[in-house]
Amino acid sequence: MDMLAGKVKLTQQSVNSAMNPTDALARPIRLEARDVTVHYGAKQALFGISIDIPDRAVTSFIGPSGCGKSTFLRCINRMNDTIEGARVGGSIKLDGEDIYDPSLDVVELRARIGMVFQKPNPFPKSIYENVAYGPRIHGLARSKSDLDEIVVSSLRKAGLFEEVKDRLSEPGTGLSGGQQQRLCIARAIAVGPEVILMDEPCSALDPIATAIIEELIDELRENYTIVIVTHSMQQAARVSQKTAFFHLGKLIEEGVTEDIFTNPVHKQTQDYIMGRIG
Amino acid sequence: MATTSASTSPQTAPERTRLIRAGLRRRHRSETIFRGLGMAAIVLALGFVVLLFVDVIRKGVPAFVQSNLHLEVFFDPAVIKVDPAPQTGDFASPAEFQAASLAWQRDVALLNWNRIIEASLRAKLPANTQIDTRELLTIPETNARHQVRELFVANPALLGQTVPVDVLASANAANWIKGNIDRSLGDAQQQMSPAARAVIDAFETSGTVSNGFAWSLFTNADSRAAPAAAGLLGAFIGSLYMMLIVIVLAVPIGVAAAIYLEEFAPKSRLTDFIEVNINNLAAVPSIVFGLLGAAAFINYLHLPISAPLVGGLVLTLMTLPTIIIATRGALLGVSPALRQAALGMGASKTQMVFHHVLPVTLPSILTATILGVAHALGETAPLLLIGMKAFVAQVPVTPLDQATALPVQIYLWQGNENRNFFEPRTAAAIMVLLGVMILLNGTAIFLRSRLEKRV
Ligand SMILES: Nc1ncnc2c1ncn2[C@@H]1O[C@H](COP(=O)(O)OP(=O)(O)O)[C@@H](O)[C@H]1O
Ligand SMILES: [Mg+2]
């Protein structure tokens, strides 16, 4: 087995992904994390994570629960700032720009890096207002018709428009779980982010809703850099081009998804993939 | 699966079923007992509420009826001997007119209006009735002469005319008419002379006196000289001013303080200390707030005594901790998912609070506020300490005028010597207070359900 994690030679062609898997690593790097550590109070949750996230591809984080996947994801849009007692060390660069630079405004950062959460959390407002909220606070729409257009196109991109076009003024919380999650995706898309972070976006959904979201993620990859946390290895295999395996706060192995699943380098990765841990 | 678990446990399957069944009976029994206790507690509580309401209503309903005397008042020029009322046109300046007008009104007030009342009463007496003036004048309430005088002041052209006027029967007369007094009691125990009682009975048969809805209860301020005319309007307006002051001050201050403490204040020793103290303040007996108000607002700031402004400030201080605690509780209850959603969209903390968190907590905050205000409305003790138990015969015009409050009015009437007359009146005042409370609570429930339905 090749011990050079991340640089493993490809042995198999991707079967379910339109992009050639080698492309994932060949693509320009969008996000660059170096030696990222996180402490929650006295407890260290992440130990020196370094990873490159390729542009316009799906990168998935897998690993047993509690291993720090969400924690690392939250570092990328600085959501850890909102957690009391959380301290982040190391550096994360978006297009070469340090996102922890004190001169950088996190409001702007979060407009560039959108987030979709584990449990669908639409605002308790109308479907329209849910999507319009981001453009409104960031001042992206100059007129009402601008805003209407953003809302409609975001809902279209999230594959939700046809289902909700007649009830845009109804509460977003009245949709089904899968629709709510797509609404959250539309809401994130509406501000035109470059990166979309998704933290186990399907864990609260049934298999059909999950399949729809996975398909959507595959489509969105064309235009967005996507990072997805998932506890389902099948999902990681289905939607992502790059996979990173976390264990006990450490990044054990990362590389082309294909390789991680067919040819894992580390024993822990193997054990996890074989269902022996987690 | 059954076999595997059976092999790991020491009992056989039938034995286990028997054990579970035995335990089941015990579990059901304790559930039945617990339910029974719960029901008993609710029945007891409801029973007391019903008892209270029935008692208050039974006592209070008679007070909503007043006895009116229907008189034909003759504005007798032989009694009303004054110069014609001054006219605006006769004077060079408004000030001069004002002075002359006041002098004329004083002259009018000095006339013996009781003679006019007496004459109109005598006109209604059955033939050959013997009753002296003093006895006769115990039948109408003492404010009758003011009422007639004011009619004349308002319209001096009434001189020499006869007009129908309704005046209130006195409290003692009303007691007799409504049967609040045992008619079989001896003369010594009766408040009215035998002759006066006979006249009242005659008035009743002739229709000169009749009972009607007690509007005076709602249109008059308190009165001592004319107890039958004593009303709640003064106290009601006093309470209204105080409630407005509480709403205007306590709600914004309380909600803002809660938002700051819960959402923005850094967690530190100081904020912990403030939090503990707010909780303590909520438990401070209300009378202490009265002492504080007397010291701070009256002695130090020299605000007027007995004023609804001071009462409102004291009640604001008293209500603030309640509103702060309730608001913080509501904010704390907002799901972290909503906060994350907002922050994840790039909303600032302030935007998160005002766009998302506050709207969903509004129903709870509103309910807590209305209940807090209702509580303040019923508060009596602190008001006594800032002089709001003084007898006030005028309806307050501004929050700086002397006034009393509904609960204090209840307290004052409860202590009135004319028990027969004031017991129903006290109960009626309690009914009005409870009515306002129910209205406030109903509004709270209505607004809550309305706001919760809205997205
Ligand atoms: N807000 C928090 N405060 C304290 N500890 C936390 C917090 N969030 C996560 N942790 C801890 O950090 C570790 C990683 O958690 P998390 O990133 O949620 O794991 P994952 O998403 O991989 O399941 C866990 O041990 C968890 O208990
Ligand atoms: Mg997680």
Side-chain angles (χ1 to χ4, degrees):
Chain A
M1 208 178 284
D2 192 343
M3 293 308 286
L4 297 170
K7 289 181 186 162
V8 281
K9 284 256 153 57
L10 270 170
T11 53
Q12 238 182 306
Q13 278 289 320
S14 166
V15 276
N16 49 5
S17 166
M19 191 193 290
N20 186 320
T22 37
D23 291 358
L25 298 187
R27 295 187 88 80
I29 291 162
R30 205 69 210 261
L31 280 158
E32 199 183 316
R34 288 298 172 265
D35 288 321
V36 174
T37 58
V38 174
H39 288 81
Y40 291 115
K43 184 176 173 260
Q44 185 160 7
L46 285 184
F47 300 84
I49 308 293
S50 298
I51 188 175
D52 292 338
I53 310 256
D55 184 33
R56 277 180 255 181
V58 180
T59 303
S60 64
F61 295 168
I62 58 169
S65 84
C67 66
K69 307 178 296 287
S70 302
T71 300
F72 184 59
L73 197 72
R74 282 198 300 264
C75 290
I76 301 176
N77 67 345
R78 289 183 56 177
M79 279 298 273
N80 281 332
D81 291 13
T82 65
I83 296 175
E84 205 140 325
R87 278 174 296 124
V88 181
S91 86
I92 299 180
K93 287 183 175 152
L94 172 63
D95 296 333
E97 209 184 328
D98 187 0
I99 64 166
Y100 282 88
D101 190 324
S103 68
L104 184 133
D105 192 333
V106 340
V107 165
E108 186 204 315
L109 178 75
R110 292 191 191 136
R112 291 175 66 188
I113 304 182
M115 190 161 195
V116 176
F117 297 84
Q118 186 164 355
K119 229 181 107 219
N121 56 355
F123 297 129
K125 298 177 193 291
S126 71
I127 294 172
Y128 182 94
E129 284 303 320
N130 260 280
V131 184
Y133 183 68
R136 216 175 249 151
I137 58 170
H138 295 299
L140 300 181
R142 246 163 278 109
S143 63
K144 173 86 175 85
S145 59
D146 263 11
L147 194 61
D148 288 350
E149 210 177 297
I150 294 176
V151 170
V152 170
S153 75
S154 305
L155 284 170
R156 276 227 167 83
K157 282 185 210 156
L160 190 60
F161 185 67
E162 289 304 319
E163 289 159 64
V164 300
K165 63 181 176 200
D166 300 322
R167 45 179 174 146
L168 290 179
S169 58
E170 281 173 37
T173 42
L175 297 172
S176 75
Q179 290 174 323
Q180 287 190 19
Q181 199 59 300
R182 277 181 282 150
L183 180 60
C184 292
I185 293 174
R187 181 178 71 182
I189 290 174
V191 285
E194 297 147 43
V195 181
I196 302 175
L197 309 176
M198 301 186 178
D199 192 351
E200 304 198 24
C202 302
S203 66
L205 305 182
D206 62 73
I208 295 173
T210 301
I212 297 175
I213 302 262
E214 284 180 6
E215 211 170 295
L216 174 62
I217 292 171
D218 207 47
E219 276 168 31
L220 293 174
R221 192 190 66 199
E222 311 261 311
N223 298 309
Y224 304 92
T225 300
I226 295 172
V227 185
I228 179 173
V229 169
T230 173
H231 61 253
S232 150
M233 283 169 288
Q234 290 85 343
Q235 185 168 67
R238 280 193 299 263
V239 304
S240 71
Q241 288 76 51
K242 177 169 180 168
T243 296
F245 171 66
F246 287 73
H247 189 49
L248 297 176
K250 297 195 176 85
L251 176 63
I252 304 297
E253 187 167 350
E254 52 147 328
V256 173
T257 301
E258 245 13 286
D259 296 339
I260 296 284
F261 284 103
T262 55
N263 225 350
V265 175
H266 287 263
K267 174 136 191 351
Q268 281 155 319
T269 320
Q270 279 173 30
D271 287 350
Y272 181 67
I273 288 166
M274 308 296 274
R276 283 197 285 266
I277 48 173
Chain B
M1 171 150 147
T3 48
T4 50
S5 56
S7 65
T8 57
S9 91
Q11 301 105 9
T12 61
E15 214 179 328
R16 246 192 345 266
T17 316
R18 196 184 50 74
L19 279 175
I20 291 173
R21 282 218 185 112
L24 218 54
R25 214 171 299 133
R26 204 175 51 236
R27 278 192 259 169
H28 284 320
R29 197 171 49 236
S30 60
E31 190 173 321
T32 316
I33 290 173
F34 188 76
R35 270 200 214 172
L37 283 175
M39 286 288 276
I42 287 178
V43 167
L44 199 70
L46 268 184
F48 277 119
V49 171
V50 168
L51 202 69
L52 171 82
F53 272 73
V54 168
D55 184 57
V56 166
I57 291 173
R58 193 179 52 80
K59 280 191 189 141
V61 162
F64 288 99
V65 171
Q66 67 185 23
S67 301
N68 301 311
L69 290 165
H70 312 291
L71 303 180
E72 305 288 331
V73 173
F74 173 50
F75 288 86
D76 189 353
V79 179
I80 309 172
K81 279 187 267 191
V82 281
D83 301 329
Q87 300 295 314
T88 342
D90 303 343
F91 295 91
S93 73
E96 272 175 62
F97 167 68
Q98 198 75 24
S101 185
L102 278 176
W104 179 77
Q105 281 184 33
R106 197 190 54 233
D107 290 346
V108 171
L110 287 173
L111 297 171
N112 189 354
W113 288 94
N114 271 343
R115 280 183 61 193
I116 305 276
I117 302 290
E118 184 191 351
S120 48
L121 280 167
R122 286 204 186 277
K124 294 281 185 180
L125 286 180
N128 305 324
T129 315
Q130 292 299 313
I131 182 165
D132 70 30
T133 304
R134 202 182 47 77
E135 281 175 311
L136 186 61
L137 285 177
T138 59
I139 297 173
E141 189 46 281
T142 53
N143 70 334
R145 57 195 149 103
H146 305 308
Q147 196 183 333
V148 171
R149 184 193 70 213
E150 269 152 34
L151 277 177
F152 176 73
V153 170
N155 181 12
L158 288 174
L159 191 65
Q161 292 188 34
T162 303
V163 285
V165 176
D166 279 6
V167 302
L168 279 169
S170 70
N172 288 333
N175 276 340
W176 179 257
I177 295 163
K178 291 192 216 160
N180 289 352
I181 262 181
D182 187 352
R183 289 191 172 223
S184 62
L185 285 178
D187 286 352
Q189 279 139 299
Q190 293 286 356
Q191 251 104 22
M192 306 199 77
S193 68
R197 285 173 355 233
V199 167
I200 296 171
D201 288 344
F203 277 171
E204 261 189 288
T205 33
S206 69
T208 303
V209 69
S210 70
N211 288 335
F213 184 74
W215 291 111
S216 64
L217 192 61
F218 298 96
T219 55
N220 291 354
D222 195 13
S223 174
R224 273 191 193 163
L232 285 170
L233 187 64
F236 184 82
I237 299 289
S239 278
L240 194 72
Y241 275 135
M242 289 195 282
M243 265 166 54
L244 286 179
I245 290 166
V246 171
I247 290 172
V248 165
L249 292 180
V251 176
I253 296 177
V255 172
I259 290 177
Y260 176 74
L261 282 175
E262 194 57 46
E263 305 284 340
F264 295 100
K267 294 272 169 292
S268 68
R269 288 256 172 79
L270 182 67
T271 43
D272 282 350
F273 179 75
I274 291 174
E275 177 167 354
V276 167
N277 277 290
I278 289 173
N279 291 342
N280 284 341
L281 274 182
V284 166
S286 60
I287 198 154
V288 176
F289 284 99
L291 276 174
L292 173 73
F297 300 126
I298 296 176
N299 289 345
Y300 186 70
L301 291 178
H302 300 295
L303 290 175
I305 204 160
S306 304
L309 175 68
V310 177
L313 290 174
V314 167
L315 294 179
T316 298
L317 290 181
M318 201 193 78
T319 317
L320 261 178
T322 320
I323 293 184
I324 295 178
I325 291 171
T327 306
R328 291 191 70 180
L331 293 174
L332 206 64
V334 174
S335 83
L338 181 64
R339 294 164 186 276
Q340 282 176 355
L343 293 174
M345 288 303 299
S348 67
K349 205 157 184 188
T350 314
Q351 286 173 327
M352 172 191 87
V353 170
F354 287 96
H355 295 169
H356 302 286
V357 175
L358 211 51
V360 300
T361 46
L362 212 56
S364 323
I365 294 177
L366 211 74
T367 317
T369 302
I370 294 179
L371 294 184
V373 170
H375 187 184
L377 174 73
E379 199 51 72
T380 325
L383 302 183
L384 301 182
L385 292 188
I386 54 159
M388 290 193 80
K389 67 174 196 295
F391 163 72
V392 182
Q394 280 90 35
V395 177
V397 178
T398 72
L400 286 166
D401 295 339
Q402 285 210 331
T404 179
L406 280 175
V408 179
Q409 188 69 71
I410 291 170
Y411 166 82
L412 290 173
W413 281 357
Q414 170 70 23
N416 193 291
E417 317 76 50
N418 192 343
R419 296 295 319 133
N420 280 334
F421 190 74
F422 272 95
E423 196 175 69
R425 217 144 251 241
T426 310
I430 292 175
M431 282 168 72
V432 170
L433 182 63
L434 284 178
V436 178
M437 296 278 190
I438 290 172
L439 204 72
L440 280 174
N441 287 329
T443 314
I445 294 168
F446 173 75
L447 284 178
R448 195 189 174 106
S449 65
R450 268 291 293 278
L451 284 172
E452 273 175 353
K453 239 180 269 156
R454 219 187 58 194
V455 208

